[in-house]
Protein backbone atom coordinates (compact mmCIF):
# COMPACT_ATOMS: atom_id res chain seq x y z
CA UNK A 1 0.00 0.00 0.00
CA UNK A 2 1.31 3.42 -0.98
CA UNK A 3 1.86 5.89 1.82
CA UNK A 4 -0.88 8.45 1.30
CA UNK A 5 0.75 11.65 2.50
CA UNK A 6 2.00 14.63 0.47
CA UNK A 7 5.68 14.82 -0.39
CA UNK A 8 7.23 18.09 0.74
CA UNK A 9 9.20 19.14 -2.35
CA UNK A 10 6.86 18.96 -5.38
CA UNK A 11 7.79 20.28 -8.80
CA UNK A 12 7.02 24.01 -8.84
CA UNK A 13 3.87 24.86 -10.80
CA UNK A 14 3.45 27.95 -12.96
CA UNK A 15 0.74 29.20 -10.60
CA UNK A 16 3.14 29.42 -7.66
CA UNK A 17 5.56 31.83 -9.36
CA UNK A 18 4.15 34.89 -7.55
CA UNK A 19 3.76 33.36 -4.09
CA UNK A 20 4.68 35.57 -1.15
CA UNK A 21 5.50 35.01 2.51
CA UNK A 22 1.89 34.06 3.18
CA UNK A 23 2.63 30.76 1.46
CA UNK A 24 4.23 29.66 4.75
CA UNK A 25 1.78 31.45 7.03
CA UNK A 26 1.23 30.40 10.61
CA UNK A 27 -1.33 32.58 12.35
CA UNK A 28 0.20 31.78 15.72
CA UNK A 29 3.78 30.69 16.31
CA UNK A 30 2.61 27.75 18.39
CA UNK A 31 0.00 25.24 17.35
CA UNK A 32 -3.30 25.96 19.15
CA UNK A 33 -4.02 23.38 21.83
CA UNK A 34 -7.68 23.17 20.87
CA UNK A 35 -10.30 24.40 18.44
CA UNK A 36 -13.98 23.94 17.80
CA UNK A 37 -13.32 22.90 14.19
CA UNK A 38 -10.18 21.55 12.52
CA UNK A 39 -10.03 21.70 8.72
CA UNK A 40 -7.37 19.47 7.15
CA UNK A 41 -6.15 20.95 3.86
CA UNK A 42 -5.53 24.55 2.69
CA UNK A 43 -6.66 24.20 -0.92
CA UNK A 44 -9.93 24.98 -2.68
CA UNK A 45 -11.95 22.49 -0.59
CA UNK A 46 -10.67 23.48 2.84
CA UNK A 47 -10.82 27.18 2.06
CA UNK A 48 -14.34 26.97 0.67
CA UNK A 49 -15.79 25.24 3.71
CA UNK A 50 -13.87 27.50 6.10
CA UNK A 51 -15.11 30.64 4.33
CA UNK A 52 -18.72 29.49 4.43
CA UNK A 53 -18.47 28.33 8.04
CA UNK A 54 -17.25 31.80 8.98
CA UNK A 55 -19.56 33.89 6.79
CA UNK A 56 -22.77 31.88 6.41
CA UNK A 57 -23.51 31.24 10.09
CA UNK A 58 -27.04 32.26 11.00
CA UNK A 59 -27.72 34.97 13.56
CA UNK A 60 -27.39 33.53 17.02
CA UNK A 61 -24.90 30.84 16.04
CA UNK A 62 -22.12 30.90 18.66
CA UNK A 63 -18.72 32.00 17.41
CA UNK A 64 -16.42 29.03 16.91
CA UNK A 65 -12.69 28.75 16.51
CA UNK A 66 -11.46 27.21 13.25
CA UNK A 67 -7.94 25.85 12.76
CA UNK A 68 -6.73 24.85 9.28
CA UNK A 69 -3.82 22.42 9.05
CA UNK A 70 -1.84 22.08 5.81
CA UNK A 71 0.96 19.59 5.16
CA UNK A 72 2.69 21.91 2.66
CA UNK A 73 2.34 25.59 1.83
CA UNK A 74 -0.88 27.45 1.03
CA UNK A 75 -2.62 25.99 -2.01
CA UNK A 76 0.31 23.77 -2.93
CA UNK A 77 -1.78 20.65 -3.54
CA UNK A 78 -4.00 19.88 -6.52
CA UNK A 79 -5.71 23.30 -6.48
CA UNK A 80 -2.42 25.11 -7.04
CA UNK A 81 -1.33 22.61 -9.67
CA UNK A 82 -4.40 22.32 -11.91
CA UNK A 83 -5.28 23.87 -15.26
CA UNK A 84 -7.24 26.87 -13.98
CA UNK A 85 -10.26 25.66 -15.96
CA UNK A 86 -13.70 26.00 -14.36
CA UNK A 87 -15.60 23.91 -16.88
CA UNK A 88 -18.93 22.35 -15.86
CA UNK A 89 -20.12 19.08 -17.34
CA UNK A 90 -23.01 19.65 -19.74
CA UNK A 91 -22.91 16.37 -21.64
CA UNK A 92 -19.53 14.66 -21.06
CA UNK A 93 -20.28 12.24 -18.23
CA UNK A 94 -23.91 13.23 -17.77
CA UNK A 95 -25.21 10.61 -20.26
CA UNK A 96 -23.42 7.91 -18.23
CA UNK A 97 -25.04 9.22 -15.06
CA UNK A 98 -28.46 9.30 -16.73
CA UNK A 99 -28.07 5.66 -17.68
CA UNK A 100 -26.67 4.61 -14.32
CA UNK A 101 -28.49 6.85 -11.84
CA UNK A 102 -31.51 8.25 -13.65
CA UNK A 103 -32.30 11.55 -15.34
CA UNK A 104 -33.25 13.49 -12.20
CA UNK A 105 -30.00 12.75 -10.33
CA UNK A 106 -27.85 13.40 -13.40
CA UNK A 107 -29.51 16.72 -14.21
CA UNK A 108 -29.28 17.80 -10.56
CA UNK A 109 -25.51 17.30 -10.76
CA UNK A 110 -25.17 19.07 -14.13
CA UNK A 111 -27.13 22.10 -12.95
CA UNK A 112 -25.09 22.21 -9.73
CA UNK A 113 -21.86 22.34 -11.73
CA UNK A 114 -23.19 24.93 -14.17
CA UNK A 115 -24.36 27.18 -11.31
CA UNK A 116 -20.75 27.49 -10.12
CA UNK A 117 -19.79 29.68 -13.07
CA UNK A 118 -22.15 32.55 -12.25
CA UNK A 119 -21.86 32.03 -8.50
CA UNK A 120 -18.09 32.48 -8.60
CA UNK A 121 -18.26 35.30 -11.13
CA UNK A 122 -20.54 37.25 -8.76
CA UNK A 123 -18.55 36.36 -5.66
CA UNK A 124 -15.20 37.33 -7.19
CA UNK A 125 -16.65 40.68 -8.30
CA UNK A 126 -18.25 41.31 -4.89
CA UNK A 127 -15.05 40.54 -2.98
CA UNK A 128 -12.85 42.32 -5.57
CA UNK A 129 -10.55 39.31 -5.89
CA UNK A 130 -7.64 39.67 -8.31
CA UNK A 131 -7.43 36.14 -9.71
CA UNK A 132 -7.59 36.69 -13.49
CA UNK A 133 -11.16 35.40 -13.69
CA UNK A 134 -12.50 35.36 -17.25
CA UNK A 135 -15.94 34.26 -18.41
CA UNK A 136 -15.63 32.68 -21.85
CA UNK A 137 -16.73 29.89 -24.13
CA UNK A 138 -15.19 26.49 -23.58
CA UNK A 139 -14.64 24.78 -26.92
CA UNK A 140 -14.85 21.01 -27.31
CA UNK A 141 -13.01 19.57 -30.32
CA UNK A 142 -12.99 16.06 -31.77
CA UNK A 143 -10.46 15.33 -34.54
CA UNK A 144 -11.15 11.60 -34.83
CA UNK A 145 -13.98 10.69 -37.24
CA UNK A 146 -15.46 7.96 -35.06
CA UNK A 147 -15.22 10.05 -31.90
CA UNK A 148 -16.81 13.03 -33.67
CA UNK A 149 -19.74 10.93 -34.88
CA UNK A 150 -20.21 9.55 -31.37
CA UNK A 151 -20.13 13.08 -29.92
CA UNK A 152 -22.84 14.13 -32.38
CA UNK A 153 -24.98 11.17 -31.36
CA UNK A 154 -24.51 12.04 -27.69
CA UNK A 155 -25.47 15.65 -28.33
CA UNK A 156 -28.60 14.62 -30.24
CA UNK A 157 -29.55 12.23 -27.42
CA UNK A 158 -29.12 14.98 -24.82
CA UNK A 159 -31.43 17.27 -26.81
CA UNK A 160 -34.17 14.66 -26.54
CA UNK A 161 -34.32 15.27 -22.80
CA UNK A 162 -35.41 18.87 -23.43
CA UNK A 163 -33.10 20.32 -20.79
CA UNK A 164 -33.03 24.11 -20.49
CA UNK A 165 -29.29 24.23 -19.83
CA UNK A 166 -28.55 22.64 -23.19
CA UNK A 167 -29.70 25.88 -24.83
CA UNK A 168 -26.23 27.22 -23.99
CA UNK A 169 -24.53 24.49 -26.04
CA UNK A 170 -23.53 25.04 -29.66
CA UNK A 171 -22.59 21.95 -31.72
CA UNK A 172 -21.33 21.51 -35.26
CA UNK A 173 -20.32 18.29 -37.00
CA UNK A 174 -18.85 18.69 -40.45
CA UNK A 175 -16.22 20.31 -42.64
CA UNK A 176 -16.50 23.74 -41.00
CA UNK A 177 -15.43 22.40 -37.60
CA UNK A 178 -11.79 23.25 -38.30
CA UNK A 179 -12.55 26.88 -39.20
CA UNK A 180 -14.96 27.31 -36.28
CA UNK A 181 -12.59 25.86 -33.69
CA UNK A 182 -9.22 26.92 -35.07
CA UNK A 183 -7.96 23.38 -34.49
CA UNK A 184 -6.33 21.58 -37.40
CA UNK A 185 -8.20 18.52 -38.57
CA UNK A 186 -11.25 19.12 -36.37
CA UNK A 187 -14.25 16.97 -37.33
CA UNK A 188 -16.73 18.24 -34.72
CA UNK A 189 -16.85 21.23 -32.40
CA UNK A 190 -19.05 22.32 -29.50
CA UNK A 191 -18.98 25.21 -27.06
CA UNK A 192 -20.66 26.46 -23.89
CA UNK A 193 -20.08 28.99 -21.10
CA UNK A 194 -17.22 28.34 -18.67
CA UNK A 195 -14.68 30.18 -16.56
CA UNK A 196 -10.91 30.54 -16.30
CA UNK A 197 -8.93 31.78 -13.32
CA UNK A 198 -5.67 31.73 -11.36
CA UNK A 199 -6.70 29.27 -8.62
CA UNK A 200 -4.01 29.95 -6.02
CA UNK A 201 -4.61 33.72 -6.19
CA UNK A 202 -8.28 33.09 -5.44
CA UNK A 203 -7.52 30.80 -2.50
CA UNK A 204 -4.76 33.02 -1.10
CA UNK A 205 -7.04 36.06 -1.15
CA UNK A 206 -9.70 34.22 0.86
CA UNK A 207 -7.25 32.81 3.39
CA UNK A 208 -5.62 36.20 3.90
CA UNK A 209 -9.06 37.68 4.53
CA UNK A 210 -10.08 34.95 6.99
CA UNK A 211 -6.84 35.11 8.97
CA UNK A 212 -6.66 38.93 9.05
CA UNK A 213 -10.19 39.08 10.46
CA UNK A 214 -9.39 36.54 13.15
CA UNK A 215 -11.84 34.03 11.68
CA UNK A 216 -9.24 31.34 11.00
CA UNK A 217 -5.97 30.11 12.47
CA UNK A 218 -3.94 28.77 9.54
CA UNK A 219 -0.97 26.48 10.18
CA UNK A 220 1.09 25.54 7.12
CA UNK A 221 3.75 22.81 6.98
CA UNK A 222 1.86 20.94 9.68
CA UNK A 223 1.08 17.46 8.33
CA UNK A 224 -1.55 15.46 10.21
CA UNK A 225 -0.53 11.95 11.27
CA UNK A 226 -3.69 10.62 12.93
CA UNK A 227 -7.14 11.59 14.14
CA UNK A 228 -8.40 9.74 17.20
CA UNK A 229 -11.26 10.07 19.67
CA UNK A 230 -14.97 10.62 19.20
CA UNK A 231 -17.54 13.38 19.08
CA UNK A 232 -18.51 12.59 22.67
CA UNK A 233 -14.99 12.66 24.10
CA UNK A 234 -13.48 15.07 21.63
CA UNK A 235 -11.03 14.42 18.81
CA UNK A 236 -7.26 14.54 19.01
CA UNK A 237 -5.56 15.60 15.79
CA UNK A 238 -1.94 14.51 16.04
CA UNK A 239 0.45 16.50 13.86
CA UNK A 240 4.19 16.63 13.36
CA UNK A 241 4.18 19.67 15.68
CA UNK A 242 1.96 18.26 18.39
CA UNK A 243 -1.75 17.62 19.03
CA UNK A 244 -4.84 19.77 18.57
CA UNK A 245 -8.06 18.85 20.35
CA UNK A 246 -11.26 19.54 18.41
CA UNK A 247 -15.02 19.01 18.44
CA UNK A 248 -15.43 18.73 14.67
CA UNK A 249 -13.08 17.48 11.93
CA UNK A 250 -13.31 18.30 8.22
CA UNK A 251 -11.19 16.26 5.82
CA UNK A 252 -10.47 18.46 2.80
CA UNK A 253 -7.24 16.73 1.77
CA UNK A 254 -8.65 15.13 -1.40
CA UNK A 255 -6.18 12.56 -2.80
CA UNK A 256 -4.67 11.95 0.62
CA UNK A 257 -7.90 11.40 2.53
CA UNK A 258 -7.44 7.63 2.93
CA UNK A 259 -4.22 8.27 4.84
CA UNK A 260 -6.44 9.47 7.70
CA UNK A 261 -9.71 7.71 6.80
CA UNK A 262 -8.74 4.16 5.78
CA UNK A 263 -12.36 3.31 4.99
CA UNK A 264 -11.93 5.49 1.88
CA UNK A 265 -8.91 3.51 0.65
CA UNK A 266 -10.78 2.03 -2.33
CA UNK A 267 -13.19 4.91 -2.71
CA UNK A 268 -10.66 7.71 -3.38
CA UNK A 269 -7.38 6.81 -5.11
CA UNK A 270 -4.47 9.25 -5.57
CA UNK A 271 -3.60 9.64 -9.25
CA UNK A 272 -1.02 11.87 -10.91
CA UNK A 273 -1.67 14.19 -13.83
CA UNK A 274 0.54 16.49 -15.88
CA UNK A 275 0.21 20.17 -16.80
CA UNK A 276 2.39 22.73 -18.62
CA UNK A 277 2.77 26.44 -19.23
CA UNK A 278 3.52 27.42 -22.84
CA UNK A 279 4.74 30.83 -24.00
CA UNK A 280 6.27 32.41 -27.07
CA UNK A 281 9.80 33.88 -27.15
CA UNK A 282 10.28 37.39 -25.80
CA UNK A 283 9.54 40.02 -28.42
CA UNK A 284 6.96 37.85 -30.23
CA UNK A 285 3.21 38.35 -30.04
CA UNK A 286 1.28 35.10 -29.61
CA UNK A 287 -1.75 34.49 -31.85
CA UNK A 288 -5.00 35.50 -30.19
CA UNK A 289 -6.87 32.64 -28.51
CA UNK A 290 -9.97 33.87 -26.60
CA UNK A 291 -11.56 30.56 -25.62
CA UNK A 292 -10.70 27.65 -23.39
CA UNK A 293 -10.51 24.17 -24.93
CA UNK A 294 -10.90 20.47 -24.51
CA UNK A 295 -9.03 19.18 -27.55
CA UNK A 296 -9.02 15.54 -28.65
CA UNK A 297 -6.44 14.64 -31.27
CA UNK A 298 -6.94 12.22 -34.14
CA UNK A 299 -5.41 9.60 -31.83
CA UNK A 300 -7.99 10.53 -29.15
CA UNK A 301 -5.38 12.06 -26.83
CA UNK A 302 -7.26 14.64 -24.76
CA UNK A 303 -5.85 17.97 -23.60
CA UNK A 304 -7.48 20.76 -21.57
CA UNK A 305 -6.30 24.29 -22.27
CA UNK A 306 -6.84 27.87 -21.14
CA UNK A 307 -5.28 31.01 -22.63
CA UNK A 308 -3.76 33.45 -20.17
CA UNK A 309 -4.40 37.22 -20.40
CA UNK A 310 -0.72 37.66 -21.33
CA UNK A 311 -1.18 35.34 -24.33
CA UNK A 312 0.56 32.35 -22.79
CA UNK A 313 -1.16 28.98 -22.51
CA UNK A 314 -1.77 26.52 -19.68
CA UNK A 315 -2.42 23.06 -21.07
CA UNK A 316 -2.37 19.56 -19.62
CA UNK A 317 -3.91 16.13 -19.88
CA UNK A 318 -2.63 13.47 -22.31
CA UNK A 319 -3.88 10.68 -20.03
CA UNK A 320 -4.34 8.26 -22.92
CA UNK A 321 -0.58 8.20 -23.38
CA UNK A 322 0.27 7.23 -19.83
CA UNK A 323 -2.78 5.24 -18.72
CA UNK A 324 -1.19 1.87 -19.69
CA UNK A 325 1.78 2.60 -17.40
CA UNK A 326 -0.07 2.41 -14.09
CA UNK A 327 2.99 2.66 -11.88
CA UNK A 328 3.65 6.15 -13.30
CA UNK A 329 0.33 7.64 -12.16
CA UNK A 330 -2.06 5.26 -10.38
CA UNK A 331 -1.94 5.22 -6.57
CA UNK A 332 1.07 7.50 -6.90
CA UNK A 333 1.59 10.60 -4.75
CA UNK A 334 5.03 11.57 -6.05
CA UNK A 335 4.56 14.97 -7.66
CA UNK A 336 8.32 15.61 -7.57
CA UNK A 337 8.67 13.99 -11.01
CA UNK A 338 6.98 14.23 -14.41
CA UNK A 339 5.06 11.33 -15.93
CA UNK A 340 7.59 9.63 -18.18
CA UNK A 341 5.12 8.44 -20.84
CA UNK A 342 3.85 11.94 -21.64
CA UNK A 343 6.48 14.38 -20.38
CA UNK A 344 7.39 15.59 -23.89
CA UNK A 345 3.90 15.51 -25.43
CA UNK A 346 3.37 19.27 -25.17
CA UNK A 347 6.62 20.18 -26.91
CA UNK A 348 5.41 21.81 -30.16
CA UNK A 349 1.78 21.26 -29.15
CA UNK A 350 0.45 24.69 -30.18
CA UNK A 351 2.23 24.58 -33.54
CA UNK A 352 0.84 21.18 -34.54
CA UNK A 353 -2.65 21.76 -33.10
CA UNK A 354 -3.80 25.35 -33.72
CA UNK A 355 -3.96 27.20 -37.01
CA UNK A 356 -1.80 30.32 -37.01
CA UNK A 357 0.67 29.07 -34.40
CA UNK A 358 3.07 27.38 -36.82
CA UNK A 359 5.67 30.17 -36.72
CA UNK A 360 4.98 31.30 -33.17
CA UNK A 361 8.03 29.66 -31.62
CA UNK A 362 5.80 28.58 -28.70
CA UNK A 363 7.64 26.40 -26.21
CA UNK A 364 7.05 24.71 -22.86
CA UNK A 365 8.18 27.17 -20.22
CA UNK A 366 7.31 24.93 -17.25
CA UNK A 367 5.92 21.44 -16.68
CA UNK A 368 4.67 19.96 -13.44
CA UNK A 369 2.55 17.21 -11.98
CA UNK A 370 -0.26 17.17 -9.44
CA UNK A 371 -1.98 14.47 -7.42
CA UNK A 372 -5.75 14.21 -7.79
CA UNK A 373 -8.26 12.10 -5.90
CA UNK A 374 -10.19 9.77 -8.21
CA UNK A 375 -13.32 8.17 -6.81
CA UNK A 376 -14.49 4.66 -7.56
CA UNK A 377 -17.88 5.76 -8.88
CA UNK A 378 -16.63 8.98 -10.53
CA UNK A 379 -18.38 11.27 -8.04
CA UNK A 380 -16.94 13.38 -5.24
CA UNK A 381 -17.58 12.49 -1.59
CA UNK A 382 -19.21 15.30 0.39
CA UNK A 383 -20.95 15.03 3.76
CA UNK A 384 -20.72 13.31 7.12
CA UNK A 385 -18.23 10.44 7.31
CA UNK A 386 -20.36 7.30 7.76
CA UNK A 387 -20.29 5.96 11.30
CA UNK A 388 -18.12 8.80 12.62
CA UNK A 389 -20.26 11.59 14.08
CA UNK A 390 -18.54 14.96 14.12
CA UNK A 391 -16.33 14.13 11.11
CA UNK A 392 -16.99 15.41 7.59
CA UNK A 393 -15.41 14.96 4.17
CA UNK A 394 -15.06 17.08 1.00
CA UNK A 395 -12.80 15.10 -1.34
CA UNK A 396 -12.50 12.85 -4.40
CA UNK A 397 -13.00 15.31 -7.26
CA UNK A 398 -11.68 13.24 -10.18
CA UNK A 399 -9.63 16.13 -11.54
CA UNK A 400 -12.88 18.08 -11.87
CA UNK A 401 -13.09 20.06 -8.66
CA UNK A 402 -13.34 23.60 -10.00
CA UNK A 403 -17.12 23.38 -10.73
CA UNK A 404 -17.89 21.26 -7.64
CA UNK A 405 -16.06 22.58 -4.62
CA UNK A 406 -17.25 26.13 -3.97
CA UNK A 407 -20.93 25.26 -3.54
CA UNK A 408 -20.01 21.85 -2.15
CA UNK A 409 -18.16 23.64 0.65
CA UNK A 410 -21.14 25.94 1.12
CA UNK A 411 -23.45 22.95 1.49
CA UNK A 412 -21.13 21.21 3.93
CA UNK A 413 -20.90 24.37 6.05
CA UNK A 414 -24.69 24.51 6.09
CA UNK A 415 -24.75 20.98 7.52
CA UNK A 416 -22.28 21.96 10.24
CA UNK A 417 -23.43 25.51 11.06
CA UNK A 418 -27.12 25.05 11.95
CA UNK A 419 -27.00 21.28 11.63
CA UNK A 420 -29.15 21.05 8.51
CA UNK A 421 -29.65 17.57 7.04
CA UNK A 422 -27.74 16.86 3.84
CA UNK A 423 -31.05 16.78 1.97
CA UNK A 424 -31.36 20.54 2.67
CA UNK A 425 -27.71 21.39 1.99
CA UNK A 426 -27.89 21.83 -1.78
CA UNK A 427 -25.35 19.03 -2.24
CA UNK A 428 -26.48 16.85 -5.18
CA UNK A 429 -27.53 13.31 -4.37
CA UNK A 430 -24.71 11.78 -6.44
CA UNK A 431 -22.05 13.65 -4.44
CA UNK A 432 -23.26 12.66 -0.98
CA UNK A 433 -20.85 10.29 0.71
CA UNK A 434 -22.45 7.18 2.21
CA UNK A 435 -21.70 3.76 3.59
CA UNK A 436 -23.34 2.28 0.52
CA UNK A 437 -20.83 4.01 -1.74
CA UNK A 438 -17.93 2.90 0.44
CA UNK A 439 -19.18 -0.69 0.48
CA UNK A 440 -19.46 -0.76 -3.29
CA UNK A 441 -15.90 0.50 -3.65
CA UNK A 442 -14.57 -1.95 -1.06
CA UNK A 443 -16.51 -4.92 -2.44
CA UNK A 444 -15.38 -4.37 -6.03
CA UNK A 445 -12.03 -4.42 -7.77
CA UNK A 446 -11.67 -0.80 -8.84
CA UNK A 447 -9.59 -0.83 -12.00
CA UNK A 448 -8.70 2.60 -13.34
CA UNK A 449 -7.73 3.30 -16.90
CA UNK A 450 -11.01 3.63 -18.80
CA UNK A 451 -10.95 6.95 -20.64
CA UNK A 452 -14.43 8.29 -21.23
CA UNK A 453 -16.22 11.58 -21.66
CA UNK A 454 -13.72 14.38 -21.07
CA UNK A 455 -10.82 11.96 -21.01
CA UNK A 456 -10.50 11.63 -17.26
CA UNK A 457 -9.37 8.32 -15.90
CA UNK A 458 -12.36 6.50 -14.46
CA UNK A 459 -13.03 3.12 -12.90
CA UNK A 460 -13.94 0.56 -15.52
CA UNK A 461 -16.58 -0.72 -13.08
CA UNK A 462 -19.45 1.77 -13.07
CA UNK A 463 -22.11 -0.34 -11.37
Amino acid sequence: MTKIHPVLDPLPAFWSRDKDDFHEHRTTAELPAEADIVVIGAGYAGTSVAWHLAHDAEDGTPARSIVMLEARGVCEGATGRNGGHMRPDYYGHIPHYIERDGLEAAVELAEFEISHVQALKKFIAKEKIDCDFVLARSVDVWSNDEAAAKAKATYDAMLQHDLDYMDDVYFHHGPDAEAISGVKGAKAVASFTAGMMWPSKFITHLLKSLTSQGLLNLQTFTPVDTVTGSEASGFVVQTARGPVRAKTIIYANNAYVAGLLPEYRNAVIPCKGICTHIKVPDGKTPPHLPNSYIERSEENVLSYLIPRPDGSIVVGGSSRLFSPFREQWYDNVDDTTLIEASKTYYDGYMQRTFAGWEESGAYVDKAWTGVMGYSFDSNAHIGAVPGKPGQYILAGFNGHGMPLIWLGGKGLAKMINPGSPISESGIPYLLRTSQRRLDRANDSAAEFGDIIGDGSLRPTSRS
Side-chain angles (χ1 to χ4, degrees):
M1 179 185 295
T2 304
K3 183 180 180 182
I4 312 177
H5 295 290
V7 298
L8 297 182
D9 54 347
L11 289 168
F14 163 75
W15 306 114
S16 62
R17 69 174 190 177
D18 291 341
K19 64 185 180 185
D20 56 21
D21 291 343
F22 189 78
H23 177 73
E24 301 178 5
H25 178 84
R26 289 178 177 173
T27 304
T28 54
E30 300 299 323
L31 197 63
E34 59 183 16
D36 291 313
I37 301 171
V38 164
V39 179
I40 302 172
Y44 191 6
T47 301
S48 173
V49 72
W51 179 272
H52 291 294
L53 281 169
H55 289 278
D56 294 355
E58 296 179 351
D59 291 342
T61 301
R64 290 167 298 175
S65 56
I66 305 173
V67 170
M68 179 177 287
L69 305 175
E70 168 56 48
R72 302 199 286 207
V74 167
C75 202
E76 202 168 26
T79 306
R81 314 181 70 76
N82 69 19
H85 203 183
M86 189 170 63
R87 182 181 188 271
D89 185 359
Y90 280 66
Y91 49 75
H93 295 100
I94 299 303
H96 297 273
Y97 300 147
I98 292 173
E99 180 181 355
R100 186 186 70 182
D101 306 300
L103 181 64
E104 182 178 355
V107 171
E108 179 189 37
L109 177 57
E111 291 178 342
F112 178 76
E113 293 194 19
I114 292 166
S115 68
H116 273 74
V117 178
Q118 289 298 330
L120 278 164
K121 175 180 178 290
K122 292 176 181 177
F123 177 77
I124 289 167
K126 177 175 177 277
E127 297 295 324
K128 298 180 173 59
I129 302 174
D130 177 15
C131 62
D132 294 355
F133 179 84
V134 176
L135 191 68
R137 299 293 286 181
S138 183
V139 179
D140 261 337
V141 180
W142 296 264
S143 296
N144 175 280
D145 283 316
E146 182 179 352
K150 185 177 179 180
K152 177 62 164 61
T154 297
Y155 172 73
D156 290 343
M158 288 296 293
L159 292 182
Q160 297 305 308
H161 296 298
D162 197 27
L163 303 172
D164 289 342
Y165 77 73
M166 287 296 292
D167 291 344
D168 188 44
V169 179
Y170 166 81
F171 192 97
H172 175 82
H173 181 215
D176 290 336
E178 184 171 335
I180 293 169
S181 67
V183 173
K184 301 175 186 178
K187 304 297 190 298
V189 58
S191 70
F192 53 82
T193 304
M196 301 178 278
M197 65 192 296
W198 189 309
S200 56
K201 283 187 176 182
F202 175 73
I203 299 305
T204 300
H205 179 102
L206 297 187
L207 290 178
K208 284 181 176 180
S209 176
L210 288 168
T211 55
S212 66
Q213 295 179 70
L215 299 174
L216 176 71
N217 186 313
L218 170 62
Q219 298 287 326
T220 62
F221 294 96
T222 307
V224 175
D225 296 322
T226 59
V227 177
T228 57
S230 67
E231 184 178 43
S233 63
F235 300 105
V236 177
V237 182
Q238 187 64 49
T239 81
R241 297 171 55 216
V244 182
R245 299 191 65 87
K247 300 173 184 176
T248 300
I249 308 296
I250 300 170
Y251 299 90
N253 52 339
N254 197 22
Y256 308 98
V257 70
L260 299 175
L261 289 174
E263 57 265 50
Y264 283 84
R265 186 67 183 93
N266 292 320
V268 179
I269 307 291
C271 296
K272 281 175 64 171
I274 191 167
C275 197
T276 66
H277 177 245
I278 294 176
K279 59 185 292 188
V280 301
D282 292 343
K284 280 202 168 189
T285 301
H288 181 55
L289 198 65
N291 302 308
S292 72
Y293 282 82
I294 293 288
E295 181 270 327
R296 303 164 186 83
S297 71
E298 187 175 1
E299 296 76 28
N300 279 324
V301 178
L302 180 145
S303 298
Y304 54 84
L305 176 154
I306 68 166
R308 297 273 308 122
D310 63 4
S312 66
I313 303 295
V314 174
V315 58
S318 68
S319 58
R320 182 172 287 274
L321 297 179
F322 59 76
S323 61
F325 307 99
R326 288 165 59 86
E327 73 285 354
Q328 296 184 24
W329 61 275
Y330 177 80
D331 205 9
N332 187 328
V333 298
D334 181 12
D335 50 8
T336 66
T337 61
L338 295 176
I339 299 174
E340 191 66 26
S342 66
K343 68 179 185 179
T344 62
Y345 179 72
Y346 292 105
D347 292 341
Y349 173 80
M350 297 304 295
Q351 290 91 327
R352 68 177 182 264
T353 305
F354 287 90
W357 284 76
E358 294 84 356
E359 305 302 322
S360 66
Y363 66 95
V364 174
D365 169 61
K366 187 176 288 294
W368 63 94
T369 50
V371 181
M372 301 164 284
Y374 279 90
S375 68
F376 174 70
D377 58 11
S378 306
N379 297 130
H381 284 266
I382 307 176
V385 176
K388 292 187 174 180
Q391 300 191 47
Y392 298 85
I393 185 172
L394 182 62
F397 305 111
N398 301 283
H400 189 64
M402 295 292 281
L404 292 174
I405 294 173
W406 182 248
L407 298 180
K410 182 180 180 69
L412 190 59
K414 188 174 182 179
M415 291 177 63
I416 298 168
N417 267 335
S420 298
I422 195 168
S423 59
E424 298 176 9
S425 67
I427 299 168
Y429 172 77
L430 293 181
L431 303 185
R432 299 173 191 173
T433 195
S434 67
Q435 189 61 52
R436 178 185 63 86
R437 291 180 64 193
L438 296 183
D439 289 343
R440 288 167 64 189
N442 291 328
D443 292 344
S444 304
E447 292 293 331
F448 283 69
D450 183 25
I451 302 179
I452 64 171
D454 68 357
S456 299
L457 300 166
R458 305 296 193 198
T460 54
S461 171
R462 304 185 62 81
S463 59

